[in-house]
């Protein structure tokens, strides 16, 4: 049997030996398209190459691209587990020509691979072409010798592929495999084409046009090729099975979950094992690409996938969290092709375990409520929306999990009722906020947050990213367009800009769009705890809601914030170790290489204590250990010894920062923190305490500098010393003794002068 790994390899090799560059899979979070939730086709990373916006050093390429279809426009989540070919995660094998070859070579390369290299029976292959595409039909006849009866002309959009409403597009030709007459279904274009007998295995798109807007379609400067073949489908064909879940990769993953729960993947358990296997792949790959479970955006799609799998693990009778135990099997089958999985193993396992541990706390009670509320419903019935909302709000059931749970019994969920209950809750939240009198201008932020949800922060891992403008706010009001001279707040769907919070200053940087237009972001603030507000003053061009922009954080400034922030954690830990555990943080400010730390302590910190604290922190800096971040529930984090700030509101999950090690080998500092930090402690460079003072009774303040500012501060001090030394004509090291001697001398002279005056009088 040819393994999926071999098939992927031989696909890449086939096209590499025909001169294509092998391009590694791009991440699942699209880097060049902020309107897209996840990379969902092999051509996504090449979008700008097709339109000519971007140039690459190659004109033909081949890839095996990680894809997720579980959110946004393409969403297969609901079907996974119940069909032979739906996945939330899949791999798309594709070859691409950017103005190099066109239809003829594309068809010939594809036919050669399928029939010669892979030895597929020619008479079991059928192709479709767009109904007007005589050229493609003739080429299939000429190159492959396929008879007219198996070249089917299709007039629908099935054979005209477009990326979206705009962008590169063109007619396409699909290749189908006939799984045999023991399976029901007819050829494409026939009334029973939806059956499972004829399965599309490869789509060759002849990229010829660019859809500019609804009514304008231009010829592309260079006709191109984009092909896509699902690895899971071709693996089923080459491994002689009909169902993707019977291929080697899935059999390995399903065997692992059968083994763990002690239940075979048959009868009712079949769908559940499939869901677990499929969702393990998408969850593992998403976490490896930096997505973490959250209540909004991409993170919420991940959470939905994870929780859906976790309910199925529960159905299978898993007594302990299951998903994280399957990660080694996932890495065993796919880790060689995608090394990022192995690198992120600990993070994937921890994330899955945490989510499942927490969800299991409410899952059973939620299922109890669901059983009770649906007991009287028969097949064809509908669960009231407010019950679905209670399950969501109190028990953490994503809407589609509730749907999935009722699916087998033929019961639907009242979506409109669910949405209405959600809207009502938001209204109450707004009323409570307005009532608090805290912010008069909060209404505009509520409107924006309600319409678009939270801003997704991408800046823990990257400092540059594209985004879409969701709202522009000028003088407290939403506007559609901003013009030069306007000072405004720009809100985007995602951003690498850290918004001021937890004491850390907001990021500055630049925003650019259109044809070379740009403006400075002077600061980033946070509203309602979830919107990132970029402060921008426009100097050129106009900026509109809907524009795609490029956001770039001022990297040196962010580096300085990071150094000061990590140093603050070390300072906090050092103070507790030197002065006692009564020391707790009362406030802090973290700016560019400068920090202020307020803490509870009844008396002034002595110079000797300060020197010891400073030495302790710098010993950790020199130790240069890597800084690690983990995601935990606040309770777990505190149980693990993390310092939490009293009275601070924490979300369901917190980031826990661990730094350094003491002489006993224990972690030096563990703190809950949403800020941004150095990769390793040595990055801080140096911590220099510059001041100690009282701010209130029982509260002391330490001021300090790190990195560049610490060096500059020391240099300034040195300059002062040299000036003083110059003035008294001494070497710097002689200054203290010489000053003391001068003071003595002055005292003596004063005394003599007084004596002389007395004698004179
Ligand atoms: N872009 C086409 C598809 O997604 C071919 O790769 O089907």
């Amino acid at each position: 049997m040819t393994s999926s790994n071999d098939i992927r390899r031989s696909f890449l090799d086939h096209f590499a030996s025909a001169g294509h560059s092998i391009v590694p899979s791009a991440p699942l979070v699209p880097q060049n398209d902020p309107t897209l939730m996840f990379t969902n086709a092999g051509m996504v990373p090449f979008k700008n190459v097709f339109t000519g916006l971007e140039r690459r050093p190659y004109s033909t390429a081949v890839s095996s691209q990680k894809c997720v279809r579980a959110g946004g426009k393409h969403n297969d989540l609901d079907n996974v587990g119940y069909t032979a070919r739906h996945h939330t995660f899949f791999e798309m094998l594709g070859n691409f020509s950017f103005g190099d070859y066109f239809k003829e070579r594309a068809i010939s390369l594809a036919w050669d691979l399928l029939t010669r290299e892979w030895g597929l029976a020619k008479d079991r292959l059928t192709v479709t072409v767009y109904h007007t595409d005589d050229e493609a039909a003739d080429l299939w006849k000429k190159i492959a010798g396929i008879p007219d009866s198996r070249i089917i002309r299709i007039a629908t959009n099935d054979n005209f592929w477009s990326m979206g409403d705009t962008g590169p597009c063109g007619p396409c030709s699909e290749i189908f495999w006939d799984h045999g007459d023991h399976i029901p279904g007819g050829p494409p274009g026939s009334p029973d084409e939806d059956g499972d007998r004829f399965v599309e295995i490869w789509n060759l798109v002849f990229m010829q046009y660019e859809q500019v807007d609804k009514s304008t379609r231009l010829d592309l400067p260079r006709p191109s090729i984009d092909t896509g073949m699902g690895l899971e489908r071709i693996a089923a064909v080459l491994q002689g099975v009909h169902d993707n879940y019977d291929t080697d990769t899935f059999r390995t993953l399903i065997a692992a979950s059968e083994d763990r729960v002690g239940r075979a993947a048959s009868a009712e358990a079949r769908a559940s094992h499939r869901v677990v296997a499929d969702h393990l792949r998408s969850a593992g790959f998403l976490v490896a690409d930096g997505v973490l479970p959250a209540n909004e955006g991409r993170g919420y799609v991940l959470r939905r996938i994870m929780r859906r799998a976790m309910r199925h693990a529960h159905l299978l009778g898993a007594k302990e969290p299951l998903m994280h135990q399957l990660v080694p099997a996932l890495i065993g089958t796919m880790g060689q092709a995608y090394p990022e999985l192995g690198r992120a193993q600990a993070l994937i396992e921890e994330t899955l375990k945490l989510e499942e541990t927490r969800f299991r706390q409410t899952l059973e009670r939620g299922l109890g409520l669901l059983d009770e509320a649906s007991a009287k419903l028969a097949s064809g019935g509908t669960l009231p929306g407010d019950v679905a909302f209670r399950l969501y709000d109190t028990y953490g059931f994503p809407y589609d999990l509730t749907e999935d749970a009722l699916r087998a019994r033929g019961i639907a969920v009242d979506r409109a009722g669910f949405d209405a209950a959600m809207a009502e809750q938001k209204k109450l939240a707004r009323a409570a906020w307005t009532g608090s009198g805290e912010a008069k201008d909060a209404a505009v932020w509520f409107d924006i947050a309600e319409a678009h949800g939270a801003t997704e922060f991408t800046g823990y891992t990257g400092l540059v990213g594209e985004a879409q403008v969701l709202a522009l706010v000028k003088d407290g009001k939403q506007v559609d367009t901003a013009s030069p001279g306007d000072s405004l707040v720009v809100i985007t769907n995602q951003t690498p800009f850290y918004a001021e919070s937890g004491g850390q200053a907001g990021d500055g940087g630049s925003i650019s769009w259109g044809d070379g237009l740009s403006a400075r972001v002077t600061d980033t603030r946070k509203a309602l705890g979830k919107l990132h507000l970029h402060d921008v003053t426009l100097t050129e061009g106009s900026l509109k809601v809907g524009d795609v922009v490029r956001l770039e954080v001022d990297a040196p400034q962010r580096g300085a914030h990071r150094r000061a922030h990590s140093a603050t954690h070390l300072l906090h830990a050092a103070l507790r170790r030197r002065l006692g555990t009564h020391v707790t943080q009362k406030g802090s400010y973290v700016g560019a290489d400068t920090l202020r730390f307020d803490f509870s302590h009844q008396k002034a910190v002595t110079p000797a204590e300060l020197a010891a604290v400073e030495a302790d922190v710098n010993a950790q800096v020199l130790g240069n250990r890597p800084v690690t971040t983990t995601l935990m529930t606040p309770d777990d984090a505190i149980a693990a010894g993390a310092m939490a700030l009293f009275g601070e509101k924490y979300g369901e999950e917190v980031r826990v920062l661990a730094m350094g090690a003491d002489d006993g080998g224990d972690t030096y500092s563990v703190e809950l923190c949403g800020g941004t930090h150095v990769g390793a402690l040595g990055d801080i460079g140096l911590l220099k305490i510059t001041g100690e003072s009282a701010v209130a009774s029982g509260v002391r303040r330490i001021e300090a500098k790190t990195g560049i500012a610490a060096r500059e501060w020391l240099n300034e001090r040195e300059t002062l010393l040299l000036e003083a030394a110059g003035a008294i004509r001494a070497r710097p090291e002689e200054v203290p003794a010489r000053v003391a001697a001068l003071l003595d001398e002055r005292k003596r002279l004063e005394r003599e002068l007084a004596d002389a005056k007395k004698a004179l009088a």
Side-chain angles (χ1 to χ4, degrees), residues 11 85 90-94 110-111 113-115 118 120-121 124-128 140 173-179 188 196-204 227-238 241-242 244:
F11 184 91
R85 267 176 291 282
F90 65 98
E91 290 173 77
M92 194 178 272
L93 304 173
W111 191 250
L113 176 65
L114 292 177
T115 59
W118 287 347
L120 292 183
R124 290 176 70 178
L125 292 165
T126 296
V127 299
T128 61
W140 277 116
S173 178
E174 297 185 323
I175 307 174
F176 287 73
W177 175 251
D178 179 0
H179 273 276
D196 272 341
R197 177 172 165 183
F198 290 86
V199 172
E200 180 216 326
I201 53 169
W202 205 345
N203 184 13
L204 315 184
T227 87
M229 164 153 67
L231 174 62
E232 297 73 10
R233 290 183 180 199
I234 192 66
V237 171
L238 292 175
V241 294
H242 169 253
N244 292 3

Side-chain angles (χ1 to χ4, degrees), residues 482-485 511 513 515-519 537-543:
S483 320
I511 176 169
W513 70 99
D515 234 354
L517 296 167
S518 71
T537 300
L538 226 57
T539 48
E540 55 174 2
S542 68
L543 185 61

Side-chain angles (χ1 to χ4, degrees), residues 283-361:
F285 275 94
L286 284 170
V287 172
D289 277 348
V291 182
L292 291 173
N295 284 337
E296 314 257 2
R298 295 188 178 100
Y300 193 56
V301 177
L302 171 61
R303 170 159 284 160
R304 282 163 51 209
I305 293 173
M306 289 166 109
R307 294 195 168 183
R308 191 170 182 267
M310 287 158 188
R311 185 184 74 88
H312 283 277
H314 177 81
L315 283 182
L316 288 170
K319 296 273 173 293
E320 296 290 325
L322 170 70
M323 300 296 285
H324 71 285
Q325 300 183 51
L326 308 178
V327 173
L330 174 66
I331 294 175
T333 63
M334 304 191 70
Q336 215 175 354
Y338 299 99
E340 63 268 37
L341 280 181
R343 285 196 294 269
Q345 177 163 1
L347 181 65
I348 299 170
E349 288 175 347
E350 268 175 58
T351 307
L352 284 167
K353 188 169 173 197
L354 167 65
E355 184 76 12
E356 197 163 357
T357 306
R358 283 187 42 212
F359 187 45
R360 284 170 70 94
Q361 290 166 2

Side-chain angles (χ1 to χ4, degrees), residues 433-492:
W433 180 277
T434 317
S436 76
E438 229 180 283
K440 284 201 300 295
D441 65 348
V444 64
W445 310 132
F446 264 110
D447 290 340
I448 296 167
E450 247 165 53
H452 304 290
T455 311
E456 188 169 338
F457 178 57
T458 58
Y460 286 123
T461 44
L463 296 184
V464 184
E466 292 203 351
Q468 192 169 31
V469 176
L470 299 179
L472 299 171
V473 177
K474 197 182 137 191
D475 301 328
K477 290 197 187 59
Q478 289 199 58
V479 294
D480 290 331
T481 311
S483 320
D486 286 349
S487 287
L488 69 152
V489 168
V490 179
I491 294 167
T492 52

Side-chain angles (χ1 to χ4, degrees), residues 40-43 69 92 96 161 200 203 205 207 226-228:
N40 56 18
M43 57 78 67
R69 290 192 177 172
M92 194 178 272
F96 307 92
W161 197 87
E200 180 216 326
N203 184 13
V205 183
M207 293 286 196
D226 149 38
T227 87

Side-chain angles (χ1 to χ4, degrees), residues 616-640:
D616 289 351
V617 171
N618 284 302
Q620 294 299 323
V621 171
L622 289 177
N624 195 26
R625 286 175 184 266
V627 172
T628 63
T629 309
T630 359
L631 216 60
M632 293 191 193
T633 64
D635 291 349
D636 286 348
I638 291 160

